[in-house]
């Protein structure tokens, strides 16, 4: 196999770590020295071999351990995966989308063999070899969306499209930045975005919704979003805030490089063909400050972005109390020299 | 993003006259292979090279969405139209290579519905044919009421009655048969959604009747693609591309922009989807708004135009393109 999968944890002893390969391909989200919301969508086309933008669904060294973490979270809280009855067809669409993409783009890891509606799916990293009937739920161990998203990194919001709006009617959400599927299920686009500051006044959501409603088959889109997380914790859910919220209090000058992580979401959007629903995979990438500052450009830029971020954004993203410490620590890597445009490291 | 949707290269596999007005076309992927799956109610935009003119017309896909081997559409000849349907009827032959768009669905089923009540008029039958395929495969509950002019012009009426016994009701205008909409709507189970596709008058009638009878707005769905109206020629200044564009009598504003090499977005090309909405920078004259997208307020405001179907009469029009 081409990828060496890590054996690591995202809770408890937190043995998660990024290899040099993973650091170099990390999706650093800031293309300039400041940050403000924008719709910032681009076509989800294969871009920059080796980067997280190369494949339809990126698979990396964390795959196997992330899927174990998902199973653990689901065992404790089955409501992290929900699908309203009318969304089953969209689940099958997602099965097809992911299986076809992974089998074509990672032929050494995944295989899909079709004989009419009789499909055989081989997932070598997870040791799965299942044969089932496409569109027949009784032939899979879970519902179709749950089945395939237990085998795919990232959270998945499956949105029904009707009445010129999008509705959060299904999802698999175990690696979220402090939002809850169980709370949002059945809400429309404006309802589930209600807590976001500033963007409503800026008209961002009206424009974003219009864009999303018009996403067409065969023309997926993507964007990056980001926040901060203490410890490499995938499951920063409201349901478990009592467990992870307290971790924000133990940050010191000595442990910040190790504990503070930049959390980046690669968000993609696909029209699903049979159901006309939209699937919104939200893939989480974590990097510790210590690893991030190994790229000098990123270290300088992150210092400037965090230092100059508007108060309400720092508060909404949940790191306002730790911001002074973050800025102070990052400042030692910022000599004030200019940074080049774009998100990529300078060294290539 | 560029205009329209991703394109598919197809070959015409069959041209089949269905009756005096309607011809069916079957497309397969040029060079073989599967076409994308679609959902019932989707359309494709067919590109027609008619001499110097590129025509782009949207047609509902009527084949079984699960059949990825071929797409079929049915085209009603409109002798008063601008020439797209005439081109399809007279120029398109078996074996011809054409370009069509990926499927786009602006008339999709509400899959929450306990029952789907479909009302079709004339060629408006086509999106329902794909939807009925889809629903019968999923075990969905549906019923079709289909108004046709005469039995001989009742496109697919007999096939549908045979394919879905007990679920298809045909009404012939020439025998003074009409859908008794009030009774029909009054007798639907809770959770029914109504879909209508047909002439404008029929669509308005269904919406108005359903509203009068207290049906929720969200439970009534319609699709009507307008053909762009012809009109007096006019001139447009495009501020972004710094071009002056002449719009001909039988040309839409969108077609004129495209012919001038201006990248203008679109999806339905029929005034329904909103994708081509364009900001007006300045004007001296009168807008002829024909779309279903802009609100009456927006139409009166003079700040927006839908170039796929709407026109302008007057001295100057400056667009943000």
């Amino acid at each position: 196999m081409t990828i060496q999968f890590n054996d690591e944890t995202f809770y408890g002893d937190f043995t998660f770590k990024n290899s040099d390969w993973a650091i170099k391909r990390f999706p650093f989200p800031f293309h300039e020295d400041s940050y403000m919301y924008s719709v910032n969508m681009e076509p989800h086309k294969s871009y920059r071999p080796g980067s997280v933008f190369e494949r339809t669904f990126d698979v990396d060294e964390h795959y196997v351990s992330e899927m174990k973490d998902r199973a653990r979270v689901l065992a404790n809280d089955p409501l992290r995966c929900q699908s309203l009855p009318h969304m089953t067809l969209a689940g099958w669409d997602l099965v097809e989308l992911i299986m076809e993409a992974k089998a074509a783009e990672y032929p050494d890891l995944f295989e899909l063999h079709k004989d009419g509606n009789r499909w055989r799916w081989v997932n070598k990293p997870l040791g799965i070899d299942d044969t089932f009937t496409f569109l027949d739920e009784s032939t899979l161990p879970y519902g179709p969306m749950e089945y395939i998203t237990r085998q795919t990194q990232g959270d998945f919001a499956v949105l029904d499209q009707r009445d010129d709006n999008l509705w959060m009617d299904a999802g698999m959400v175990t690696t979220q930045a402090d939002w809850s599927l169980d709370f949002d299920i059945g809400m429309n686009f404006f309802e589930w975005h209600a807590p976001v500051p500033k963007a409503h006044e800026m008209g961002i959501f009206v424009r974003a919704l219009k864009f999303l409603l018009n996403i067409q088959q065969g023309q997926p889109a993507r964007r990056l979003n980001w926040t901060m997380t203490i410890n490499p914790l995938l499951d920063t859910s409201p349901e478990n805030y009592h467990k992870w919220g307290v971790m924000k209090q133990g940050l010191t000058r000595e442990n910040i490089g190790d504990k503070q992580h930049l959390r980046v979401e690669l968000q993609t959007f696909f029209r699903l063909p049979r159901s006309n629903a939209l699937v919104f995979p939200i893939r989480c990438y974590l990097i510790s400050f210590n690893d991030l500052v190994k790229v000098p450009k990123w270290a300088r830029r992150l210092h400037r972005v965090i230092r100059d971020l508007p108060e309400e954004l720092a508060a909404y993203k949940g790191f306002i109390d730790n911001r002074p410490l973050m800025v102070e620590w990052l400042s030692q890597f910022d000599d004030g020299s200019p940074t080049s445009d774009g998100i990529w490291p300078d060294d290539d | 993003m560029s205009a329209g949707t991703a394109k598919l290269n197809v070959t015409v596999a069959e041209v089949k006259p269905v009756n005096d007005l309607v011809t069916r076309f079957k497309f397969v992927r040029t060079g073989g292979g599967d076409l994308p799956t679609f959902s019932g109610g989707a359309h494709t935009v067919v590109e027609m090279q008619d001499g110097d003119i590129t025509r782009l017309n949207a047609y509902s896909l009527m084949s079984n969405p699960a059949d990825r081997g071929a797409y079929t559409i049915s085209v009603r000849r409109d002798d008063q139209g601008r020439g797209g349907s005439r081109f399809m009827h007279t120029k398109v032959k078996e074996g011809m290579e054409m370009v069509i768009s990926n499927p786009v669905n602006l008339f999709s089923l509400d899959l929450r519905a306990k029952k789907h009540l479909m009302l079709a008029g004339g060629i408006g039958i086509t999106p329902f044919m794909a939807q009925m395929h889809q629903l019968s495969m999923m075990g969905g509950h549906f019923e079709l009421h289909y108004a046709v002019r005469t039995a001989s012009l009742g496109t697919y009426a007999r096939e549908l009655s045979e394919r879905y016994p007990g679920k298809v009701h045909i009404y012939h205008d020439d025998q003074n048969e009409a859908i008794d909409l009030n009774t029909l709507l009054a007798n639907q189970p809770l959770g029914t959604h109504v879909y209508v596709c047909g002439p404008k008058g029929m669509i308005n009638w269904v919406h108005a009747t359903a509203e009068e009878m207290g049906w929720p707005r969200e439970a009534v769905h319609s699709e009507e693609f307008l053909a762009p109206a012809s009109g007096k020629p006019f001139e447009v200044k495009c501020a972004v591309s710094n071009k002056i564009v002449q719009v001909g009598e039988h040309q839409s504003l969108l077609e004129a922009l495209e012919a001038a090499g201006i990248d203008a977005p679109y999806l339905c090309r029929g005034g329904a989807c909103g994708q081509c909405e364009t900001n007006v920078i300045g004007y001296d004259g009168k807008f002829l708004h024909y779309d279903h997208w802009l609100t009456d307020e927006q139409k009166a405001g003079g700040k927006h135009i839908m170039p796929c179907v709407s026109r302008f009469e007057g001295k100057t029009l400056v667009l943000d393109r």
Side-chain angles (χ1 to χ4, degrees), chain A residues 112-173:
Chain A
L112 178 64
H113 306 280
K114 292 186 190 174
D115 177 11
N117 274 346
R118 201 74 189 147
W119 291 18
R120 179 174 165 225
W121 167 246
V122 182
N123 178 336
K124 293 183 193 166
L126 296 184
I128 291 168
D129 185 340
D130 284 338
T131 299
F132 61 95
T133 305
F134 189 71
L135 297 177
D136 181 354
E137 288 92 87
S138 70
T139 60
L140 284 178
Y142 305 100
M145 179 195 69
E146 178 168 1
Y147 177 76
I148 195 60
T149 56
R150 278 177 177 267
Q151 302 179 45
T152 309
Q153 288 164 280
D155 283 343
F156 288 80
V158 188
L159 314 176
D160 195 20
Q161 180 160 334
R162 53 177 200 270
D163 312 331
D164 293 324
N165 212 325
L166 295 168
W167 303 81
M168 181 84 70
D169 286 350
M172 168 66 91
V173 179

Side-chain angles (χ1 to χ4, degrees), chain A residues 42-43 86 89 96 100 114 135 160-163 169 210-211 214 216-221 273-276, chain B residues 1 4-6 36-39 68 102-105 108 110-112 134 138 218 267 273-275 277 293:
Chain A
E42 60 177 10
H86 61 284
L89 187 62
E96 179 185 53
E100 286 191 346
K114 292 186 190 174
L135 297 177
D160 195 20
Q161 180 160 334
R162 53 177 200 270
D163 312 331
D169 286 350
K210 194 170 171 181
F211 180 90
N214 275 316
Q216 298 305 323
Q217 253 175 271
Q219 289 178 301
R274 290 173 185 76
S275 56
N276 204 38
Chain B
M1 285 196 159
T5 66
T37 329
F38 63 95
S39 46
R68 296 177 63 175
N102 249 329
V104 176
N105 201 339
S108 78
D110 190 321
L111 295 174
R112 298 171 308 161
Q134 182 177 339
M138 294 160 48
E218 297 79 12
L267 280 178
C273 76
Q275 186 74 359
E277 181 177 325
W293 177 257

Side-chain angles (χ1 to χ4, degrees), chain A residues 277-334:
Chain A
L278 200 69
V279 65
F280 172 29
I282 309 158
R283 171 68 183 278
C284 172
Y285 295 87
L286 293 164
I287 190 169
S288 71
F289 272 23
N290 274 341
D291 281 345
L292 187 132
V293 300
K294 290 175 183 168
V295 178
K297 170 180 164 179
W298 291 353
R300 294 199 299 276
R301 178 162 288 164
L302 186 65
H303 170 242
R304 295 166 200 181
V305 167
I306 299 304
R307 182 189 64 198
D308 301 337
L309 194 74
E311 289 270 301
E312 51 270 69
L313 287 190
Y316 171 66
K317 289 179 183 289
F319 60 86
I320 187 118
D321 292 345
N322 285 327
R323 172 152 78 167
L325 183 58
M326 290 159 70
V327 172
E328 186 202 336
W329 190 83
L330 286 166
S331 69
Q332 62 185 310
F333 304 98
D334 186 0

Side-chain angles (χ1 to χ4, degrees), chain B residues 11-16 23-28 72-73 92-95:
Chain B
T11 300
V12 180
E14 188 184 63
V15 179
K16 175 117 184 132
T23 297
R24 183 172 69 230
F25 300 86
K26 183 174 178 180
F27 301 115
V28 296
T72 55
I73 61 168
V92 174
K93 308 285 180 214
E94 284 173 25

Side-chain angles (χ1 to χ4, degrees), chain B residues 227-266:
Chain B
S230 301
K232 290 181 196 156
F234 60 101
E235 185 179 281
V236 190
K237 183 161 190 274
C238 294
V240 177
S241 47
N242 197 24
K243 283 180 180 165
I244 307 267
V245 176
Q246 307 293 334
V247 184
E249 188 182 347
H250 298 296
Q251 194 179 29
S252 72
L253 171 53
L254 177 61
E255 288 165 349
L257 296 175
E258 289 168 343
I262 295 165
D263 187 28
Y266 70 84

Side-chain angles (χ1 to χ4, degrees), chain B residues 196-234:
Chain B
V196 54
C197 185
K200 192 181 183 62
M202 180 179 187
I203 292 172
N204 293 344
W205 171 58
V206 171
H207 278 290
T209 309
E211 194 185 333
E212 259 167 44
M213 295 179 64
W215 279 64
R217 185 182 52 81
E218 297 79 12
V220 185
H221 312 266
S222 61
E223 177 162 69
E224 182 200 8
F225 289 154
L226 301 169
S230 301
K232 290 181 196 156
F234 60 101

